[in-house]
Amino acid sequence: LGDVEFRPARSAASSGFPRKPLSLSMRSEDKERVVTIEEGEEILAKVGDMRTRGNALFNAKSYADAAAMYKECCGLVNFVPPTEELRELCDGMKVPCLGNLAACKIHLKEWTEAQKICSKVLAIQGSNLKARYRRAQAAVELQDFHAAKTDVEAALAIEPNNSDFKRLAAEIQKRKEAHRARQSKIFSRLFK
C-alpha cells in the first residue's frame, strides 16, 4: 500500500518538526486521533478503495482475506473528524466496513466476533437492520436465544413485515425448542 504523506494542520516549518510519512498499516493500530480535513478526506478515499477490494474478496468467497481488508478499513477510519460533515462521512464509511466485517465473521463461523462487531454498528446506527439480523444470527448459533429474540423483536418494531426477520423468529423458536429437548434428555439420563 505504500506510505502516504499527510499535511499537518500547521506547516512543518512553523511547527519546528519535520513532516513524517505515515504507513497505512501503522495508522490502523492508532487509537482515535485528531486529523485535519484534508487528512480525513484522504483517509476516507483510501478506505473506499480498500473496501472495494474487500468486496471483491468477499464475492470470491475469500472471507478471511476480506475480513482482514475490512478490519484494516475500520482501523483507518478510527479518527476524530474535525467537522460534522466529515464525521458523517466517516460514520458512513465505518458502518458498511464494520457490517461487511461482521458478514465475513458469520461466514467464518466466528459468532462471538460477529456479535461484537454488529454491536459496534448498532452503537453508531441503531436502526441498522443488517447488523441486527447478523447479530441475531450469531446469537442463535451461540444458543443465546434471548438476545436473538430481542434483536428480532427490535427489528420487527422498525419493519413489521420483514420476511427475513419473521423467518429468523421461527428459526429461533425451533432451535430453542430443540435445545430444550436435548437438555431435558441429558438431565433425565443424569438422574436415572
Side-chain angles (χ1 to χ4, degrees):
L1 295 173
D3 289 342
V4 177
E5 184 169 316
F6 290 99
R7 290 175 295 280
R10 296 184 299 153
S11 73
S14 68
S15 68
F17 296 102
R19 286 178 156 181
K20 289 185 181 178
L22 296 177
S23 164
L24 289 177
S25 61
M26 286 174 46
R27 286 187 288 151
S28 68
E29 296 171 8
D30 290 347
K31 298 298 176 204
E32 286 196 352
R33 63 202 178 282
V34 179
V35 298
T36 65
I37 293 171
E38 295 81 18
E39 289 170 340
E41 289 171 348
E42 189 175 333
I43 290 168
L44 291 178
K46 181 60 77 174
V47 169
D49 292 341
M50 291 174 68
R51 185 173 145 222
T52 299
R53 289 193 307 251
N55 292 348
L57 290 166
F58 185 89
N59 291 335
K61 298 185 187 322
S62 183
Y63 302 119
D65 292 335
M69 186 69 67
Y70 294 133
K71 188 173 182 178
E72 180 76 9
C73 289
C74 293
L76 290 172
V77 293
N78 195 26
F79 61 85
V80 179
T83 66
E84 183 63 24
E85 181 183 354
L86 197 57
R87 186 196 62 77
E88 288 174 10
L89 289 172
C90 185
D91 286 350
M93 188 63 74
K94 193 180 293 186
V95 166
C97 288
L98 285 168
N100 292 350
L101 178 57
C104 290
K105 295 298 184 178
I106 296 243
H107 282 284
L108 295 168
K109 300 184 182 335
E110 296 177 13
W111 312 117
T112 303
E113 281 300 306
Q115 259 187 325
K116 289 177 187 175
I117 294 164
C118 289
S119 293
K120 289 179 183 182
V121 171
L122 292 167
I124 297 168
Q125 192 179 72
S127 62
N128 189 301
L129 293 179
K130 282 185 179 181
R132 204 160 288 282
Y133 185 85
R134 290 174 182 146
R135 188 168 75 174
Q137 279 182 307
V140 167
E141 295 300 330
L142 293 168
Q143 298 180 348
D144 186 353
F145 302 112
H146 178 73
K149 184 179 177 188
T150 300
D151 274 332
V152 167
E153 288 172 350
L156 288 172
I158 296 168
E159 208 172 288
N161 297 321
N162 186 306
S163 60
D164 290 331
F165 280 101
K166 287 182 177 183
R167 270 193 302 277
L168 186 55
E171 174 71 14
I172 291 167
Q173 189 60 37
K174 182 176 134 187
R175 299 269 300 263
K176 185 176 179 180
E177 289 170 6
H179 179 71
R180 280 188 183 155
R182 280 191 307 275
Q183 284 184 326
S184 217
K185 191 174 181 180
I186 290 169
F187 287 126
S188 70
R189 287 182 188 161
L190 289 174
F191 298 108
K192 274 191 174 180

